[in-house]
Amino acid sequence: MSLTRRNALALGSAAIAVTLVPLRAFAASEKSMEAIKAFAGEAAVTEGSFDLTTPEIAENGNTVPVSFSAPGAKRVMLLADGNPSPGVASFEFGALSDSSGSTRIRLAGTQNVIAVAEMADGSIVQVAKAVKVTIGGCGG
Amino acid sequence: MAKARVKAPKTAAAGELVTIKTLVNHPMESGQRKDKEGKIIPRKIINAFSATFGGEAVVAATFEPAISTNPYFQFSFTVPATGDLVMKWTDDDGSMIEQTKTITVA
Amino acid sequence: MNKITKTLTCLLAASGLATVAVADQDATLTINGELTIATTVAAPADSPLDELFSGWVFRSGETQALQMDDFDNPSFIFVDQAIEQFAKVEGTEGESCASCHTDVAEFKGLRTTLPRHNASTGKLDTMATLINDCRTNRMGAEPWKYSKGKMTAMKALIGLQSRGMPMNVAVDGAAAEHFELGKEIYYTRVGQLDMSCANCHEDNYDTMIRADHLSQGQINGFPTYRLKNAKLNSIQGRFKGCMKNIRATPYKEGSKEFTALELYVASRGNGLPVETPSVRN
């Protein structure tokens, strides 16, 4: 007997996937905007294309694996747009580093995770990923 | 203060990109939780991490309360020659953990 | 994969949607790139289940990945602490665990047989009672609380020695009456929500309860590091949590009821390899 009940799950998943927020449509919260502005200084912020990996559905908001890879970046800042306080971490990379990082973060609810990077040429770019954070039926 | 677990290779080729994994046993008390009497449990987190290799800065990070309990951080860098990877974690209360791993280039 | 699942998977792939983080029945649990552990086994002939699935199977890909590397698995913070504790002298007799048990690897196989009947006490021994028995009677040290940090860490270290070995608890002979008590508790509805263990873990495993993917409630991976509370959780601690969730008054940890239930639930997983210490949500 295989896990046939997964079929119902897969159908449901397709419905969930369709409603994911498209990348361009996200609007960051005021606090996030302030943090991004402080990071960018005078430079304009444009959309980046570096890797930001987050789960589509976080099994538990207490421990969500996040990783990024922005080759050439001097600085990277991670924000959790929907947390009471959006700041997550910021990194300064030396010449030996490959400007990548991986960590585990707390997300208070479904929201966008934003990564902002200062690239080698001083330009500021940002990438966002939507993460659905679920509340379990058992054990909270 | 708590201890750090570090996974680093013992040897590398010159110019090789190595990945370092770190994990510290620390509650990362966010300052948002309340105790049974309803009082806020004060914030106590590891707020900074730095790694240097052969004296040269590899990465310097600041952590906020949104970093999970038992903070995990993985990073990569190119090993130019034999040297010491010196890592430091700083707690809100000023205490520090330091760990050094030597990577030898044959 | 059956035909329906294949079609759906094709549809999902064709629509360009990335894989959703649901349990991958076909994923293989290989730890540190070397130890492969079966997470699905045939159920014994007299089991109410057809196949046994480890809790690992029901978790998202990211959670599964955390258990596949002993460095990424946060349980090992506590295993390290237990290794230190194992060598620590405590109690009036001036001994440590290591004074008698020179190498913790001696305990290989122990986890697969627990809980087990103790002929002299007439009760069931669990890992916790064995540890406390040594501490109080042989070390002259304070007993540890059932689900507190030092106990769960030591259970994780000792259980780890049996990792990969199939569970094999005895339910016959003197253990039979405890097995029957545990079975009765498993199927009895309790609490404001009027539910029994079986309602979720037998009748409805592999379905969603709100956003939680229900497992068969197997305990082969305990103590487990739960992402929810970022620490090791014990079997009876989890039973307690489950009972609270259905708004029933939980039995006490270490009680006859919970210990009998632990034997019964362990027997439902006979054949599943030990995964201690595992990672769950």
Side-chain angles (χ1 to χ4, degrees):
Chain A
M1 181 197 104
S2 65
L3 294 173
T4 52
R5 288 172 253 196
R6 282 177 74 230
N7 303 334
L9 186 59
L11 276 170
S13 308
I16 292 172
V18 161
T19 61
L20 277 176
V21 176
L23 207 55
R24 283 165 208 281
F26 90 91
S29 71
E30 220 179 279
K31 283 189 195 166
S32 292
M33 296 298 286
E34 276 174 32
I36 297 172
K37 198 145 177 280
F39 182 89
E42 295 298 317
V45 181
T46 55
E47 232 178 271
S49 57
F50 61 88
D51 280 337
L52 173 62
T53 307
T54 54
E56 276 192 33
I57 300 178
E59 191 141 47
N60 193 295
N62 206 23
T63 311
V64 183
V66 173
S67 55
F68 62 87
S69 175
K74 292 188 273 190
R75 293 184 298 147
V76 169
M77 176 175 70
L78 284 179
L79 299 170
D81 197 37
N83 274 3
S85 193
V88 175
S90 31
F91 308 90
E92 265 179 42
F93 297 108
L96 292 175
S97 157
D98 76 342
S99 305
S100 72
S102 197
T103 184
R104 296 170 189 159
I105 71 176
R106 295 170 174 150
L107 294 179
T110 294
Q111 62 185 284
N112 287 318
V113 171
I114 306 170
V116 195
E118 181 191 348
M119 303 310 291
D121 60 2
S123 63
I124 308 286
V125 291
Q126 72 180 12
V127 172
K129 277 279 162 75
V131 182
K132 285 206 181 308
V133 177
T134 59
I135 296 182
C138 259
Chain B
M1 196 183 153
K3 279 175 77 166
R5 299 186 88 222
V6 176
K7 187 170 176 185
K10 290 199 167 66
T11 60
E16 188 184 335
L17 184 75
V18 297
T19 298
I20 313 294
K21 295 185 181 190
T22 70
L23 183 61
V24 182
N25 178 209
H26 194 286
M28 296 295 279
E29 194 58 67
S30 65
Q32 304 252 348
R33 296 198 312 158
K34 292 188 178 154
D35 63 16
K36 290 197 177 121
E37 280 99 54
K39 285 196 310 218
I40 290 275
I41 304 171
R43 168 185 148 149
K44 188 174 189 300
I45 68 167
I46 289 179
N47 60 41
F49 169 78
S50 72
T52 61
F53 186 77
E56 202 182 314
V58 173
V59 57
T62 53
F63 293 153
E64 305 281 347
I67 297 289
S68 298
T69 302
N70 301 329
Y72 174 86
F73 181 53
Q74 176 187 306
F75 60 99
S76 303
F77 71 99
T78 312
V79 180
T82 297
D84 281 344
L85 175 66
V86 180
M87 292 156 288
K88 291 185 183 153
W89 291 261
T90 311
D91 188 300
D92 276 343
D93 67 10
S95 59
M96 283 176 62
I97 315 174
E98 196 174 305
Q99 253 218 48
T100 304
K101 292 274 182 188
T102 306
I103 302 181
T104 307
V105 172
Chain C
M1 263 199 285
N2 63 38
K3 200 168 147 202
I4 303 172
T5 320
K6 269 205 181 111
T7 315
L8 281 168
T9 314
C10 285
L11 278 173
L12 276 174
S15 58
L17 296 166
T19 29
V20 194
V22 295
D24 182 356
Q25 181 192 357
D26 304 318
T28 306
L29 173 55
T30 303
I31 301 180
N32 300 331
E34 7 172 81
L35 172 66
T36 298
I37 297 184
T39 50
T40 303
V41 301
D46 52 0
S47 169
L49 306 163
D50 296 326
E51 261 185 303
L52 304 183
F53 298 105
S54 158
W56 186 80
V57 167
F58 299 92
R59 304 279 57 90
S60 76
E62 291 86 9
T63 307
Q64 289 178 329
L66 287 177
Q67 197 182 316
M68 290 169 71
D69 181 297
D70 284 350
F71 191 91
D72 291 345
N73 183 339
S75 309
F76 282 82
I77 292 176
F78 306 100
V79 169
D80 279 353
Q81 287 175 1
I83 290 174
E84 276 184 31
Q85 179 69 45
F86 197 82
K88 195 168 161 201
V89 171
E90 267 186 6
T92 58
E93 307 305 300
E95 315 240 281
S96 68
C97 314
S99 308
C100 294
H101 305 285
T102 27
D103 190 349
V104 72
E106 266 180 43
F107 291 112
K108 185 178 156 109
L110 175 62
R111 165 93 176 74
T112 65
T113 65
L114 297 176
R116 67 182 184 203
H117 186 258
N118 182 323
S120 34
T121 64
K123 295 184 189 169
L124 288 178
D125 277 332
T126 61
M127 186 77 79
T129 60
L130 290 178
I131 291 172
N132 275 341
D133 178 50
C134 262
R135 284 185 63 81
T136 52
N137 294 332
R138 282 179 273 289
M139 289 168 68
E142 288 295 304
W144 285 333
K145 282 217 157 96
Y146 227 84
S147 295
K148 290 291 184 182
K150 286 192 173 161
M151 179 65 89
T152 51
M154 190 56 73
K155 283 187 195 176
L157 173 61
I158 298 177
L160 170 63
Q161 310 308 312
S162 299
R163 185 163 67 176
M165 298 175 66
M167 283 299 296
N168 188 21
V169 298
V171 297
D172 53 359
E177 66 159 293
H178 301 274
F179 171 83
E180 291 301 329
L181 173 60
K183 185 172 172 184
E184 196 190 314
I185 295 173
Y186 193 87
Y187 286 98
T188 304
R189 288 174 179 269
V190 290
Q192 284 186 330
L193 298 188
D194 196 39
M195 294 170 74
S196 72
C197 314
N199 291 146
C200 283
H201 296 298
E202 184 173 304
D203 304 335
N204 285 296
Y205 71 86
D206 193 30
T207 55
M208 304 298 281
I209 182 165
R210 289 171 78 191
D212 224 356
H213 192 184
L214 277 178
S215 70
Q216 282 184 344
Q218 301 289 0
I219 54 177
N220 58 313
F222 277 81
T224 181
Y225 185 89
R226 291 194 68 192
L227 301 182
K228 167 193 148 78
N229 57 18
K231 61 177 191 172
L232 284 178
N233 291 252
S234 68
I235 293 166
Q236 297 194 12
R238 191 68 189 93
F239 287 169
K240 193 169 136 189
C242 273
M243 288 188 80
K244 279 178 165 181
N245 284 142
I246 55 172
R247 306 201 192 143
T249 308
Y251 297 107
K252 289 226 161 1
E253 291 176 83
S255 65
K256 182 174 180 186
E257 290 84 2
F258 264 177
T259 305
L261 182 60
E262 186 178 328
L263 174 66
Y264 178 69
V265 176
S267 75
R268 285 173 72 92
N270 269 349
L272 269 176
V274 170
E275 283 178 34
T276 308
S278 60
V279 180
R280 302 283 186 260
N281 67 328

